[in-house]
Amino acid sequence: MRAGPIIALVPICLLVATAPAAAGEIVVSPAGPVRSLAEAVRLASPGERILVRSGTYEEGPILVDKRLEIVGEGRPVIHGRGGYTIILVTADSVVVRGLVIAHVEPSYVEDRAGIKFDHVRGCVLEDSEIRDGFFGIYAAKSEGCRFARNLVNG
């Protein structure tokens, strides 16, 4: 008689055991254990969220080669340190929101940008600001991307 309820619980236990884990979150802050966006991107698994707390981060270049959500809290500044694109996105479905990306040195031989989307689909850049960028936002051979409520200044 007891076999009925036990057998009914086995499929439920299997469903719980095989359910995907919720995506995690990595926090970047000037005084925390993770102090750069580049480091957070390296540490992150596909599908994770990176929260960048307020502050100025000397960075670059940053390669985003996996699906991530990168969200700024308090308008953090990602300040480029040299002659390159600051954030290069090469993965589909990346979301970037609420960052200030600043200081891209000009070049007349390569296409440097504050943020560049290269051969991607379905990416989002919104509520961000690009300051002092040679090219502010550059989408190369990309499709289905959405850019909304961004500000680009010289």
Side-chain angles (χ1 to χ4, degrees):
M1 258 317 157
R2 290 188 171 186
I6 294 173
I7 293 172
L9 288 177
V10 170
I12 293 172
C13 291
L14 287 174
L15 282 174
V16 171
T18 59
E25 179 176 84
I26 296 173
V27 176
V28 178
S29 68
V34 179
R35 296 181 183 200
S36 78
L37 178 55
E39 180 185 3
V41 169
R42 281 191 302 276
L43 293 171
S45 296
E48 284 194 301
R49 181 177 199 253
I50 297 173
L51 176 67
V52 184
R53 296 244 161 97
S54 183
T56 298
Y57 302 87
E58 298 290 327
E59 297 262 7
I62 301 167
L63 174 62
V64 182
D65 59 354
K66 53 194 141 189
R67 181 178 53 86
L68 297 171
E69 179 184 15
I70 301 169
V71 178
E73 176 183 85
R75 314 264 317 141
V77 176
I78 309 300
H79 189 271
R81 290 188 296 209
Y84 43 75
T85 290
I86 297 173
I87 300 174
L88 174 60
V89 178
T90 61
D92 293 341
S93 304
V94 169
V95 175
V96 178
R97 181 179 298 119
L99 298 180
V100 176
I101 303 167
H103 186 65
V104 178
E105 292 180 6
S107 170
Y108 297 100
V109 293
E110 63 181 341
D111 299 330
R112 298 176 183 169
I115 185 166
K116 181 178 181 179
F117 298 88
D118 196 11
H119 291 83
V120 298
R121 293 177 182 209
C123 290
V124 175
L125 174 66
E126 55 188 20
D127 302 317
S128 294
E129 181 179 349
I130 312 298
R131 296 180 187 159
D132 189 26
F134 192 62
F135 288 104
I137 303 165
Y138 186 6
K141 298 182 181 175
S142 298
E143 59 184 62
C145 296
R146 186 178 75 221
F147 307 126
R149 299 179 307 277
N150 298 297
L151 179 62
V152 178
N153 286 313

